[in-house]
Amino acid sequence: MMQQQNSSSRFEVSERSETRADITVIELSGQLDAHTAPEFERFLERVVRDEGKRKLVLDFHGLEYISSAGLGVLMGLIEEVRAVDSNSSTTGGDMKLAALPEKIFHVLDLLGFPIVFQIFPTVREAEAAFL
């Protein structure tokens, strides 16, 4: 688990496997802002690039705040997650969003994120969408 703390914000991100080993659930909590977005980006890059995980569910239930920097991290990696690797048998994956607090969903909805990302009420429903 990565923890980022400073005087104005607290952010935590952790990875867990749920019902299926090929699906990675990434749990976010606290405040994802300009100070914590670079660490979140490094965390996601490790999961996607180093570990080769392509079926991701981001669990937002504990997230209190997300800034444009945090949203940029999501947009910056979605194409890479969905890309098909022609050099291997890797098929394209996806990044699904789940359990968004109402105020965060409202921001994402205003910015058109539901057009780019599938958003689900629960982690279980997001996982089931991969089946």
Side-chain angles (χ1 to χ4, degrees):
M1 179 187 320
M2 177 196 73
Q3 294 182 346
Q4 168 73 29
Q5 295 187 12
N6 62 37
S7 60
S8 63
S9 65
R10 182 182 61 84
F11 175 71
E12 295 181 16
V13 60
S14 60
E15 176 183 342
R16 68 180 196 268
S17 293
E18 289 291 305
T19 52
R20 291 179 42 198
D22 63 332
I23 297 174
T24 301
V25 177
I26 297 172
E27 190 173 301
L28 308 169
S29 64
Q31 298 185 6
L32 180 52
D33 57 24
H35 299 287
T36 57
E39 297 227 16
F40 177 53
E41 183 173 31
R42 285 191 293 275
F43 180 91
L44 278 183
E45 287 173 348
R46 177 183 56 79
V47 168
V48 173
R49 295 178 184 159
D50 300 343
E51 299 174 14
K53 296 179 178 172
R54 292 284 188 267
K55 293 182 180 179
L56 308 177
V57 174
L58 273 58
D59 180 354
F60 280 69
H61 86 272
L63 199 65
E64 300 163 7
Y65 173 80
I66 188 167
S67 73
S68 58
L71 298 173
V73 171
L74 299 177
M75 293 303 294
L77 278 174
I78 189 61
E79 286 186 27
E80 186 174 337
V81 168
R82 290 179 176 162
V84 176
D85 187 348
S86 59
N87 296 325
S88 71
S89 61
T90 305
T91 58
D94 202 3
M95 186 185 304
K96 300 180 188 304
L97 312 183
L100 278 73
E102 188 174 340
K103 65 183 178 181
I104 291 177
F105 174 79
H106 184 67
V107 170
L108 269 62
D109 190 38
L110 285 173
L111 295 172
F113 271 65
I115 295 168
V116 179
F117 295 90
Q118 288 183 296
I119 299 175
F120 296 89
T122 67
V123 169
R124 293 274 184 246
E125 290 173 82
E127 289 178 311
F130 278 113
L131 301 177

